[in-house]
Amino acid sequence: MAHEPNNWGRFGLDDQRGTLNLLTPAVVLDALRSATTGEVLSLAMPIRGATSSPAPTTVPHLPGRPLPQHFMSVDGGDYAAGARPIGEGLRVADDALVVTHHGTTTHMDALCHMWSGDELYNGHPAARVRSYGATRCGIEHVGGVVARGVLFDVARHLGLDHLPADFRIPAELLQEIAEPGPGDVAVIRTGWPLVWQRSHEEYWSGQPGLSAEAGRWLAAHDVSVVASDNAAIGGLDARGLADEGLADDLHLILLHRHGIHLVEMLWLEELGERGRTEFVFVAAPLRIEGGTGSPITPLAIL
Amino acid sequence: MAHEPNNWGRFGLDDQRGTLNLLTPAVVLDALRSATTGEVLSLAMPIRGATSSPAPTTVPHLPGRPLPQHFMSVDGGDYAAGARPIGEGLRVADDALVVTHHGTTTHMDALCHMWSGDELYNGHPAARVRSYGATRCGIEHVGGVVARGVLFDVARHLGLDHLPADFRIPAELLQEIAEPGPGDVAVIRTGWPLVWQRSHEEYWSGQPGLSAEAGRWLAAHDVSVVASDNAAIGGLDARGLADEGLADDLHLILLHRHGIHLVEMLWLEELGERGRTEFVFVAAPLRIEGGTGSPITPLAIL
Amino acid sequence: MAHEPNNWGRFGLDDQRGTLNLLTPAVVLDALRSATTGEVLSLAMPIRGATSSPAPTTVPHLPGRPLPQHFMSVDGGDYAAGARPIGEGLRVADDALVVTHHGTTTHMDALCHMWSGDELYNGHPAARVRSYGATRCGIEHVGGVVARGVLFDVARHLGLDHLPADFRIPAELLQEIAEPGPGDVAVIRTGWPLVWQRSHEEYWSGQPGLSAEAGRWLAAHDVSVVASDNAAIGGLDARGLADEGLADDLHLILLHRHGIHLVEMLWLEELGERGRTEFVFVAAPLRIEGGTGSPITPLAIL
Amino acid sequence: MAHEPNNWGRFGLDDQRGTLNLLTPAVVLDALRSATTGEVLSLAMPIRGATSSPAPTTVPHLPGRPLPQHFMSVDGGDYAAGARPIGEGLRVADDALVVTHHGTTTHMDALCHMWSGDELYNGHPAARVRSYGATRCGIEHVGGVVARGVLFDVARHLGLDHLPADFRIPAELLQEIAEPGPGDVAVIRTGWPLVWQRSHEEYWSGQPGLSAEAGRWLAAHDVSVVASDNAAIGGLDARGLADEGLADDLHLILLHRHGIHLVEMLWLEELGERGRTEFVFVAAPLRIEGGTGSPITPLAIL
């Protein structure tokens, strides 16, 4: 089933108002049948950070982005130093998070995240994306994603630890691995996060990703979400930029023209080791009204 | 099956390292059978906020807590004002979130969030909860929660829109509604968020919640998570505090003594209307290393 | 000397690039002569805040604004809890600040903070004020302010602790107190912050401030800055808004039409007690590129 | 006059409560006499930053520190995109700042910033520095600094653009340039920020700074503040650390043992060009209660 680009009503999206799933109940019920062992894996990278700690630099991220900051507003150290407990003796630790998820951690992109011209996905005016948040196509419209996940472990398929930085995955390679159905979440494993531990510079020297043709192939299969362990679904060049033209830009093909949400910077190593192509994929972005995306912890139910 | 308090290995918790589910695969597989229609509901309240907008005050929260702040670092307004697109014409909207989830939005508490004395759940030293985050019992140890959810719609059971502020739910009332099994997520609906729209002052005048006895009853049934639409699982008095003694404090009973995670400030109105007692409950906290909790969007798969 | 409205070059502003004073050297030298005793007073309210502390609510602020958040990323409590010192034994406390200064603390407004139509002060296009910051009229253009301060202690002049909420200070009253010269900083004391301690509700019930006529009188005297202990220079009504029309709006009269910077939410109680009308006023905003303002600690050198 | 180390009452510090100057009125009056031309220079580096902008990386900073983030919560772009003005036509731009000043921008250190053992400056217990902020020796105790500044332009004195990374300034070199008096602010120019524009890697390869002996010489002259354009007053090695032992650590010598506040990461290029050794130094930290320091814009009045 090839779907119409820019068809806002696809998967019931306009009815969601943040409390419904991206997919219809029938698709969900069918997807749940993909669970066979009940093992649940987190597909998220850790979020680290504190003002005076070098910790944030130990997690893969794009250069130049503000890294997550995590603060404790009260903690066990305070009680060790003599802080008075609450009431009869209750002690509490509280925290706060400052996060700019694009490029720094596992996250989902909202449909308002990228576009060309003056219109977002499905003709919504880009001028409605303002400082108070997007009043069109914000991340809060994705109540949740419960769908069949299909793993395209391209690196393993080719017998590699990870794809080379300049590798652009052709459609045929995906086709050799699996054939996704409507509503499926296509999960692409490049193995690129493994490079981080070897060398930050190498991680930043470019990234492998989908070719434009592979993006169109996935869109033609009507997947609901494309998810990858790289930072931008498509590849990046040595300057950290997508180097395709507008027609071939992966964000524009998937997010802008077909309304397919993107999940980036996944951690897929345990999932890849399991050798399972099909599973249940679950993700639920924070309900940030007008958000351009959200940090998430996607789950794979095997 | 009554479980041992402070049994660290319960549900395989010590093996998780942030990539495994809170429950064992067999429990998960069984839980998935609770899905019958495939409808998916989000149980999260919206996250709103911007410096000069009154929006944050339109979402229920505890008084005096710093409200979420959501900033756009580039948006459609910038392009309307003449900002140059990227490359051939790519346009992007990016954002950032500052969030202190306890008391301001739907969130899950980590086992390090509350304790008495010098030890966290299961004897871990509270002194390991410091400014760089908790190196024991942080939220990253909850890879995900895929479990059977059992809705205790106490307000509806009593024919009320919402429970009164001073109502402390007795165990018998829970028992009249359902009997949860080991690993289940007990979801308690008080209806209290409905009060917010009528009056912020009334919302802050106290909150209904579980009685200590009901907390013990749930722990004795070995639930994995207790989740509620109120702010503190137990009730709050007019000063916004739990007024039970240490022995009867709901956070101490559940979180501290039994290692039962808590989810607070849920939005349960659509779920309550469906009239379903059993469903699949899915939640995956952000993998914040050392976090005392995480904002989340829990899903109910009906 | 009446100055030309919208004269960008006034006080050498366009030459500053953030490293020069708002006033010319001759005016500065002259201003320094106002110091007679050498006593230095801070005119700033405290900045308080932490996630789980009620502290922020103890400082006057406008309702609905996100309050300052102050986090310690490492502190003495961590060492009390066993954190390892740096090297041979060095210990450190570090912190972080999240601040949205307008309406929450003592701050200076940049010339880009308010306007009507499509042009900022002096005809600069408002479209240059975008998400990356203002490339015209940002706060970084105020290197510093070293000027003669003239205190208009209107409350004391009238024998009042503080002006009533609906009081709009007429020009004649200012004239009775002092006659400012070109480049002077006019400091207006209403005493309104004293109301905060009595009642937050009363503090929010309105605010006294300058009348439009008084604003024009100050502009005609060519002052460089108008500073006040109220929140908006002009008065506020019960809804927290300026209720003058566009022609009479104090921000438009001073900031927009005359390029006179504003300093709001000062703490003037000690200064008022000294009984000095003239002194040296010093303030230096943080050099936030493209900022709409900055939190500051102004000093009065008596 | 050699002053007593750990003499809390020095310069009237314990009486300040955040509203008085670091120095006594007589010292201030005397300092003001150093102004001869009235030129005012800002000594601050710019604060830049936005989520998706590479701007923050264009300002010198220590590696691994979270860089300042500056957000506009409403701006001219929003109006260009059709946002409705306030009332009859008022338009507003508002912003927010997230800043961790140590290591990222021009800032002043509080006396609670560094110590060894269990006591802060003057014997105050380090355990009072907790997550809610320091209740001893916080930055709010520095109401302001109005003092005579003495420029030690060591680079220019040696005929260099900047000192080499491994240069540790000996006391004799300072002595050749000037002899500071009690209460003076010693301003040390190394020229190191100039290296940033040539190469970030070189900037991070180490830093020149004061020798321990020079630190003791300044303390013996009873200066009130030591300020420098490097990041740590003392030098840094290739790993970005001070490599002196505890006895010779510059922060311990000055801040901890003598109660001398530190100002770091100054921009001294214009000041250096003026060729003036004496001037009025003014700085006023934000009144952050319990803060370990504050971003500041120091001014030099020539």
Side-chain angles (χ1 to χ4, degrees):
Chain A
M1 175 185 103
H3 75 85
E4 291 296 299
N6 284 340
N7 173 9
W8 179 252
R10 188 164 86 91
F11 305 129
L13 196 65
D14 59 350
D15 288 321
Q16 291 186 61
R17 292 184 300 264
T19 57
L20 292 172
N21 196 51
L22 196 61
L23 305 178
T24 58
V27 174
V28 169
L29 266 195
D30 190 52
L32 291 179
R33 293 197 192 98
S34 302
T36 57
T37 67
E39 186 183 23
V40 179
L41 294 174
S42 157
L43 308 181
M45 295 199 304
I47 296 176
R48 285 183 190 147
T51 306
S52 13
S53 158
T57 59
T58 62
V59 179
H61 60 265
L62 291 183
R65 294 273 170 160
L67 301 179
Q69 297 181 46
H70 177 232
F71 299 109
M72 302 292 270
S73 56
V74 59
D75 57 52
D78 299 318
Y79 296 109
R84 200 178 302 176
I86 305 169
E88 293 180 41
L90 197 62
R91 291 156 195 244
V92 62
D94 263 17
D95 60 3
L97 180 68
V98 181
V99 64
T100 64
H101 45 90
H102 298 289
T104 70
T105 191
T106 308
H107 67 281
M108 174 179 278
D109 287 348
L111 296 184
C112 67
H113 175 48
M114 278 200 179
W115 69 97
S116 64
D118 295 325
E119 293 182 354
L120 307 177
Y121 169 66
N122 219 16
H124 288 279
R128 300 306 291 266
V129 184
R130 300 180 193 153
S131 296
Y132 279 13
T135 53
R136 293 292 181 278
C137 299
I139 195 66
E140 78 275 20
H141 292 286
V142 183
V145 181
V146 180
R148 184 169 54 194
V150 178
L151 177 63
F152 295 89
D153 190 339
V154 184
R156 191 167 263 104
H157 183 72
L158 295 176
L160 299 169
D161 283 344
H162 61 82
L163 302 179
D166 61 357
F167 195 86
R168 300 298 175 264
I169 302 165
E172 305 92 271
L173 213 44
L174 297 185
Q175 201 157 13
E176 284 175 28
I177 299 173
E179 190 91 16
D184 284 357
V185 174
V187 178
I188 317 291
R189 182 175 171 271
T190 68
W192 195 247
L194 298 176
V195 172
W196 178 262
Q197 283 176 296
R198 195 164 63 217
S199 160
H200 299 191
E201 282 64 36
E202 189 181 349
Y203 182 83
W204 290 330
S205 70
Q207 292 207 7
L210 290 182
S211 66
E213 178 210 14
R216 289 193 191 97
W217 184 83
L218 288 170
H221 281 75
D222 209 14
V223 299
S224 60
V225 174
V226 175
S228 181
D229 60 353
N230 69 6
I233 307 294
L236 295 179
D237 64 18
R239 293 179 308 149
L241 298 174
D243 51 8
E244 294 87 7
L246 277 196
D248 286 348
D249 183 276
L250 268 295
H251 274 71
L252 292 184
I253 292 172
L254 296 169
L255 202 67
H256 183 45
R257 296 190 199 120
H258 290 85
I260 295 169
H261 284 81
L262 305 178
V263 176
E264 294 162 332
M265 306 186 74
L266 287 167
W267 179 255
L268 298 175
E269 296 315 301
E270 284 81 14
L271 182 61
E273 287 164 11
R274 295 305 185 271
R276 277 278 291 276
T277 299
E278 289 188 18
F279 53 93
V280 185
F281 180 97
V282 185
L286 298 182
R287 197 174 157 189
I288 306 166
E289 284 197 352
T292 68
S294 170
I296 52 170
T297 292
L299 301 176
I301 312 176
L302 304 185
Chain B
M1 173 187 103
H3 75 86
E4 290 297 299
N6 285 341
N7 173 9
W8 180 251
R10 187 164 86 92
F11 306 128
L13 197 64
D14 60 349
D15 287 321
Q16 292 187 58
R17 294 182 301 263
T19 58
L20 291 172
N21 197 51
L22 195 62
L23 304 179
T24 58
V27 174
V28 168
L29 265 194
D30 190 52
L32 290 180
R33 291 195 195 101
S34 302
T36 56
T37 68
E39 187 184 21
V40 179
L41 294 174
S42 157
L43 307 182
M45 294 201 302
I47 295 176
R48 285 182 191 147
T51 306
S52 13
S53 157
T57 58
T58 62
V59 180
H61 59 265
L62 291 182
R65 294 272 169 159
L67 301 179
Q69 297 181 45
H70 177 234
F71 299 109
M72 303 290 271
S73 56
V74 59
D75 57 53
D78 299 318
Y79 296 108
R84 203 178 299 177
I86 305 169
E88 294 181 41
L90 199 61
R91 292 157 194 244
V92 62
D94 263 17
D95 60 4
L97 181 68
V98 182
V99 63
T100 66
H101 44 90
H102 298 291
T104 71
T105 190
T106 307
H107 66 282
M108 174 179 276
D109 287 349
L111 295 184
C112 67
H113 175 48
M114 279 200 178
W115 68 95
S116 63
D118 295 324
E119 294 181 353
L120 306 178
Y121 169 67
N122 221 15
H124 288 279
R128 301 305 292 266
V129 184
R130 300 178 192 155
S131 296
Y132 280 11
T135 54
R136 294 293 181 278
C137 299
I139 194 66
E140 77 277 19
H141 291 287
V142 183
V145 180
V146 180
R148 183 169 52 194
V150 178
L151 177 63
F152 295 88
D153 191 340
V154 184
R156 190 167 264 104
H157 183 72
L158 295 177
L160 300 169
D161 283 344
H162 61 82
L163 302 178
D166 61 357
F167 195 87
R168 299 298 176 265
I169 303 166
E172 306 95 89
L173 213 43
L174 297 185
Q175 202 156 11
E176 283 175 28
I177 299 173
E179 191 89 16
D184 285 355
V185 173
V187 179
I188 316 293
R189 182 174 171 271
T190 68
W192 196 248
L194 298 177
V195 171
W196 178 261
Q197 283 177 295
R198 195 163 62 217
S199 160
H200 298 190
E201 283 64 35
E202 189 180 350
Y203 182 84
W204 289 331
S205 68
Q207 291 208 8
L210 289 181
S211 67
E213 178 209 16
R216 289 192 190 96
W217 184 83
L218 289 170
H221 281 76
D222 210 14
V223 298
S224 60
V225 174
V226 175
S228 181
D229 60 353
N230 70 7
I233 306 295
L236 296 178
D237 64 17
R239 293 179 309 148
L241 298 173
D243 49 9
E244 293 87 9
L246 276 196
D248 286 347
D249 182 276
L250 269 294
H251 274 71
L252 293 183
I253 292 172
L254 297 170
L255 202 66
H256 183 44
R257 296 189 198 120
H258 288 86
I260 295 170
H261 284 80
L262 305 178
V263 175
E264 294 161 332
M265 305 186 75
L266 288 167
W267 178 254
L268 297 175
E269 297 315 301
E270 282 82 14
L271 183 61
E273 287 164 11
R274 294 306 185 269
R276 278 278 292 276
T277 298
E278 289 188 20
F279 54 93
V280 185
F281 180 97
V282 185
L286 299 182
R287 199 175 156 188
I288 306 166
E289 285 198 351
T292 68
S294 170
I296 53 170
T297 293
L299 300 177
I301 312 178
L302 304 185
Chain C
M1 175 186 103
H3 76 85
E4 290 296 300
N6 285 340
N7 173 8
W8 179 251
R10 188 164 86 92
F11 304 129
L13 197 64
D14 60 349
D15 287 321
Q16 293 187 58
R17 293 184 300 264
T19 56
L20 291 172
N21 197 50
L22 195 61
L23 304 179
T24 58
V27 174
V28 169
L29 266 196
D30 190 52
L32 291 179
R33 292 195 194 101
S34 304
T36 57
T37 67
E39 186 183 23
V40 179
L41 294 174
S42 156
L43 308 182
M45 295 200 303
I47 295 176
R48 285 183 189 146
T51 305
S52 14
S53 157
T57 59
T58 62
V59 180
H61 59 266
L62 290 183
R65 294 271 170 160
L67 301 179
Q69 296 181 46
H70 177 233
F71 300 109
M72 303 291 270
S73 55
V74 59
D75 56 53
D78 299 318
Y79 296 109
R84 201 178 300 176
I86 305 169
E88 293 180 41
L90 198 60
R91 293 158 195 241
V92 62
D94 262 16
D95 59 4
L97 180 68
V98 181
V99 64
T100 64
H101 44 92
H102 297 289
T104 70
T105 191
T106 308
H107 67 281
M108 175 179 276
D109 288 347
L111 295 185
C112 67
H113 176 48
M114 279 199 178
W115 69 95
S116 63
D118 296 324
E119 293 181 356
L120 306 177
Y121 169 66
N122 220 16
H124 288 280
R128 301 305 292 265
V129 184
R130 300 179 193 154
S131 295
Y132 280 12
T135 53
R136 294 292 181 278
C137 299
I139 194 67
E140 78 275 20
H141 291 286
V142 183
V145 180
V146 180
R148 183 170 54 193
V150 177
L151 176 64
F152 295 88
D153 190 340
V154 183
R156 191 167 263 103
H157 183 72
L158 295 177
L160 300 169
D161 283 344
H162 61 82
L163 302 179
D166 60 357
F167 196 86
R168 300 296 176 266
I169 302 166
E172 306 93 90
L173 213 43
L174 298 184
Q175 203 156 11
E176 284 175 28
I177 299 173
E179 189 92 15
D184 284 356
V185 174
V187 179
I188 317 292
R189 182 173 172 271
T190 68
W192 195 247
L194 297 177
V195 171
W196 178 262
Q197 283 176 295
R198 195 163 64 217
S199 159
H200 298 191
E201 282 63 35
E202 189 180 350
Y203 182 83
W204 289 331
S205 69
Q207 291 207 8
L210 289 182
S211 66
E213 179 209 13
R216 289 194 191 97
W217 184 82
L218 289 169
H221 282 76
D222 210 15
V223 298
S224 60
V225 174
V226 175
S228 180
D229 60 354
N230 69 7
I233 305 297
L236 295 178
D237 64 17
R239 293 179 309 149
L241 298 174
D243 50 8
E244 293 89 8
L246 276 196
D248 286 348
D249 182 276
L250 269 296
H251 274 72
L252 292 184
I253 292 172
L254 297 169
L255 202 66
H256 183 44
R257 297 190 198 119
H258 289 85
I260 295 169
H261 284 80
L262 305 178
V263 176
E264 294 162 333
M265 304 185 76
L266 288 167
W267 179 254
L268 297 175
E269 297 314 301
E270 283 83 13
L271 182 60
E273 287 164 11
R274 293 306 184 270
R276 276 277 293 275
T277 298
E278 288 189 19
F279 54 92
V280 185
F281 180 97
V282 185
L286 299 181
R287 197 175 157 188
I288 306 165
E289 284 198 351
T292 68
S294 169
I296 53 170
T297 293
L299 300 177
I301 313 176
L302 305 185
Chain D
M1 175 186 105
H3 75 86
E4 290 297 298
N6 284 341
N7 174 8
W8 180 251
R10 186 165 85 92
F11 306 128
L13 197 64
D14 60 350
D15 287 321
Q16 290 187 60
R17 292 184 300 264
T19 57
L20 291 172
N21 197 50
L22 196 61
L23 305 179
T24 58
V27 174
V28 169
L29 265 196
D30 190 50
L32 291 179
R33 292 197 193 98
S34 303
T36 57
T37 67
E39 187 183 21
V40 179
L41 294 174
S42 157
L43 307 182
M45 294 200 304
I47 295 176
R48 284 182 192 148
T51 306
S52 10
S53 158
T57 59
T58 62
V59 180
H61 59 266
L62 291 182
R65 293 271 169 161
L67 301 179
Q69 297 181 46
H70 177 233
F71 299 110
M72 303 291 269
S73 56
V74 59
D75 57 53
D78 298 318
Y79 296 109
R84 202 177 301 177
I86 305 169
E88 293 179 41
L90 198 61
R91 291 158 194 244
V92 62
D94 262 17
D95 60 4
L97 181 69
V98 181
V99 64
T100 66
H101 44 91
H102 297 290
T104 71
T105 191
T106 308
H107 67 281
M108 173 179 277
D109 287 349
L111 294 184
C112 68
H113 175 50
M114 279 199 177
W115 68 97
S116 63
D118 296 324
E119 293 182 354
L120 307 178
Y121 168 68
N122 219 16
H124 289 279
R128 300 305 292 266
V129 183
R130 301 179 192 153
S131 296
Y132 280 11
T135 53
R136 293 292 181 277
C137 298
I139 194 66
E140 79 276 19
H141 291 287
V142 183
V145 180
V146 180
R148 184 170 52 197
V150 177
L151 177 64
F152 295 88
D153 190 340
V154 184
R156 190 167 263 104
H157 182 73
L158 295 176
L160 299 168
D161 283 344
H162 61 82
L163 302 178
D166 61 356
F167 195 86
R168 299 296 177 267
I169 302 165
E172 308 92 90
L173 213 43
L174 297 185
Q175 201 156 13
E176 285 175 27
I177 298 173
E179 190 91 16
D184 284 356
V185 174
V187 179
I188 317 293
R189 182 174 171 271
T190 68
W192 195 248
L194 297 176
V195 172
W196 178 262
Q197 282 176 296
R198 194 163 63 218
S199 160
H200 298 190
E201 283 64 36
E202 189 180 351
Y203 182 84
W204 289 330
S205 70
Q207 291 207 8
L210 289 182
S211 66
E213 178 210 17
R216 289 192 191 96
W217 184 83
L218 288 170
H221 281 76
D222 209 14
V223 298
S224 59
V225 174
V226 174
S228 180
D229 59 354
N230 70 6
I233 305 296
L236 296 178
D237 65 16
R239 293 179 307 148
L241 298 173
D243 50 7
E244 293 88 9
L246 276 196
D248 286 347
D249 182 276
L250 269 295
H251 274 71
L252 292 184
I253 293 172
L254 296 170
L255 202 66
H256 183 46
R257 296 189 198 120
H258 289 86
I260 295 170
H261 284 82
L262 305 178
V263 175
E264 295 162 332
M265 305 186 76
L266 288 167
W267 179 254
L268 297 175
E269 297 315 301
E270 283 82 13
L271 181 62
E273 287 163 12
R274 294 305 184 271
R276 279 276 294 274
T277 299
E278 288 188 19
F279 54 92
V280 185
F281 180 97
V282 185
L286 299 181
R287 198 175 158 189
I288 306 166
E289 285 199 352
T292 69
S294 169
I296 52 169
T297 293
L299 300 177
I301 312 177
L302 305 185

